[in-house]
Amino acid sequence: MEILIDNIGELFDGHRIIRDTCIHIKEGRIESIGVRERADEVIDAEGKFVMPGFIDPHTHTVFAGSREFELEWKIEGKSYSEIAEMGGGILYTVKETRRASKEELVKQMEERLREMLSHGTTTVEIKSGYGLDRETEIKMLEAIQEVKRKTKMDVVPTFLAHAIPSGREAEEYTEEIISEIIPEVGKRKLAEFCDVFCEKGYFDVEQSRRILMKGREYGMLPKIHADEFSCIGCSRMAAEINAVSADHLLMAGEEEMKTLAGAGVVATLLPATPFVLNTSYPDARRMKEIGLTIALATDFNPNCYVANMQFIVQLACYKMGMMPLEALRAATINAAKAIKRDGEVGSIERGKKGDVLITNVASHKFIPYKIGVNMVRKVIKEGELVYSED
Ligand SMILES: [Zn+2]
């Protein structure tokens, strides 16, 4: 099967802008750019802007229930602990997720992935982490594996040590993770990455290090939630153990940024989180000056219900001072680097997967500029039309 996406007004290939061109996809892979070859099917881009599928390298898409009932409490100014006392917060999600069957988790995840796909996301990372016990964490990872088989999107599974279950000690739960959960996840190959929430009141630096090193023993590459609410040395540890990415980094200072850059750790920024929490944004401009590779992600979770990477690009430009092209690179090729998929996806280059978005706007500058509507008209995944607006 060969398809030609013709009449492209402006193409962003993951790196730069090319005008008036076409893309030829053969057996699901990019064959050439700018060569008008014979094809079985021609898709007319109608002179519009075309780009690689978005890569969302940090989500918590597997959980049961939603938390829209907390919004009024949040607007009234209730604190996180007050909301938890009123029955909301992460413990509500943990309760619902423990209770849900694997089939129910799969069903809810599939709905969320359909929304992501229709807004242009073709590759998504999904973390476990709302089980906080062996049985539920495994159920969540099995649900991700099932969704991975069913969806057209590329799904990258991660085991996340997310929080300390209520009534238990951090040290004791860390031991359970290391001696029981990670070995099972590893032996059954349920996750490609191991992630940990390194923060005051969660896992400290040494517990996080032990979890990530154990994950690595079982072939899972390390990622980390670092420096979100405080800066206690998590990103420095991430650099020491050569983590693939350090995510959030709201509180990361000059030293942390330089250390991460020196170790080649990708900085994954999640601007929808400070948006919903009404807090400040990470210093993307300084990170860029220092030479950090910046990726963008939604952080999709019940407290931050954002499935649309276009909105993330908008926040990156308006709230973090990123330029439109920088933000688009961060949401495609750099996001692929954050999940070690940059050899396969994230840019439109010969040999890579034919994951292409046809938009209804004239140039890349509209993606951050035009807010609140879906600009993706058609989604092509490995050469197959998987979403069309009409
Ligand atoms: Zn997260």
Side-chain angles (χ1 to χ4, degrees), residues 58-60 127 160 162 195 197 225 228 248 270 299 301:
H58 181 139
T59 84
H60 305 254
K127 302 173 198 297
L160 168 64
H162 200 178
D195 192 347
F197 204 99
H225 284 63
E228 183 179 1
H248 282 296
L270 313 163
D299 197 20
N301 73 68

Side-chain angles (χ1 to χ4, degrees), residues 9 34 52 67 84 87 102 105 116 118 135 138 172 176 183 215 222 276 299 315 324 361:
R67 305 225 300 263
K102 186 166 63 185
L105 291 179
M116 290 179 182
S118 67
E135 193 189 336
I138 297 289
E172 178 223 342
E176 184 185 336
V276 298
D299 197 20
L315 289 175
V361 292

Side-chain angles (χ1 to χ4, degrees), residues 194 211-222 241-243:
C194 182
I211 289 168
L212 295 180
M213 295 309 281
K214 192 51 140 184
R216 178 175 273 163
E217 244 178 67
Y218 283 91
M220 291 177 258
L221 298 175
I241 65 160
N242 285 307

Side-chain angles (χ1 to χ4, degrees), residues 37 68 83 85 121 125 134 178 187 203 213 233 239 348:
E37 288 174 79
E68 71 293 342
I83 289 173
E85 274 164 32
T121 300
E125 184 258 17
R134 189 193 59 82
I178 288 172
K187 280 178 200 148
F203 298 94
M213 295 309 281
I348 297 169

Side-chain angles (χ1 to χ4, degrees), residues 355-382:
D355 297 357
V356 179
L357 310 180
I358 299 173
T359 72
N360 57 21
V361 292
S363 92
H364 71 282
K365 291 178 189 171
F366 279 93
I367 305 294
Y369 171 69
K370 207 174 164 188
I371 299 170
V373 291
N374 187 9
M375 286 167 273
V376 170
R377 193 164 65 84
K378 283 183 163 58
V379 180
I380 293 138
K381 175 73 184 130
E382 289 175 60

Side-chain angles (χ1 to χ4, degrees), residues 36-55:
R36 196 160 277 101
E37 288 174 79
R38 189 210 68 81
D40 304 306
E41 191 189 337
V42 178
I43 300 177
D44 185 0
E46 295 175 19
K48 301 295 189 189
F49 171 61
V50 168
M51 62 173 282
F54 284 112
I55 314 290

